[in-house]
Amino acid sequence: VPELPEVETIRRRLAERIVGKTIQSVEIHREKSFQGNGLLITNQTIQAVSRRAKILQLRFSDNLLLLVHLKMTGQLILLQADGNRVGGGHPTADWVENLPAKHTRVTIQFTDGDRLFFNDQRVFGWLKVADATQAAAEFAQYGPDINDPSFTANEFVKKLSKTRVPTKLAILNSALVAGIGNIYACDALNLAQISPFKPANTLTETEAVRLFSACQTVIQRGIELQGTTFDGKYVDVAGFAGGYQNEALAYGRAGQPCKNCGELIKKTQQAGRGTYFCPHCQH
Ligand SMILES: [Zn+2]
């Protein structure tokens, strides 16, 4: 599942290359994957590529946006006229196979010959043409982004103090704070040396502040390493793969020593998802 660092990585890769490009056509291969009127963005020029939570925003004039949510299995691939390709998202053979591929749901053709492909095996992801009001409605469900510079430790501490759910589930709740997915939640809790099971409202203020800082640290590290690519078949695909998997603190490391204390990392389940933790320093 692409998390914030993976989506931010795609944003940066695309922003370098597609700002200033004009859309010639939008070809929708699967109706479910595209909402709104594609003609509204046809002949429009991309002015910026931004991100809020895990949603990418291609910005056009008059506050018109194309929102992109990769959900579980989405990918974006820019195929340049010279054959070069960049992108990211869920790692599959479509990163390297001919495009459009079997799972291509939308193709955006630019006037200069470049093409942007939205591939999505499981078809939970979407592209949505939105005006400012529609975009605001989309984002109303999200708490502040964990790496938003205006989001303070004090606000984070207050939010955690109001929920009794296990701390890991609290920080995974995007209505409380956006952008912390399973990989980075496990690692932030390990870095902060806090039990994922401890009810959020029982953390001391010191612990909650430490967790806030740890969340920002692991997310920032994920962005620096251009995200996480766990599927071994695709870890070397240039222009796509990330490197955070090589530095993960707890996630995916069951049976390996905790980088803080040496005790073996354990794996269990919380709300149907894998929780990796150190039974010693996250007691
Ligand atoms: Zn430990």
Side-chain angles (χ1 to χ4, degrees), residues 144-165:
D145 276 20
I146 183 62
N147 63 344
D148 180 337
S150 67
F151 182 40
T152 65
N154 193 33
E155 285 174 76
F156 181 80
V157 171
K158 255 189 217 157
K159 283 170 178 285
L160 287 184
S161 73
K162 288 176 186 157
T163 177
R164 288 177 296 178
V165 303

Side-chain angles (χ1 to χ4, degrees), residues 76-121:
L76 280 171
I77 301 178
L78 177 70
L79 177 60
Q80 295 178 293
D82 64 5
N84 184 47
R85 53 172 83 187
V86 291
H90 186 63
T92 72
D94 291 339
W95 278 6
V96 292
E97 286 180 351
N98 287 337
L99 296 165
K102 185 179 163 198
H103 304 109
T104 298
R105 309 306 181 191
V106 180
T107 303
I108 294 174
Q109 172 84 50
F110 296 109
T111 55
D112 64 0
D114 287 7
R115 284 177 291 167
L116 182 64
F117 297 91
F118 175 68
N119 299 339
D120 188 10
Q121 281 185 341

Side-chain angles (χ1 to χ4, degrees), residues 190 258 260-263 278 280-282:
N190 180 258
C258 170
N260 179 56
C261 74
E263 185 95 1
C278 170
H280 175 67
C281 61
Q282 294 178 262

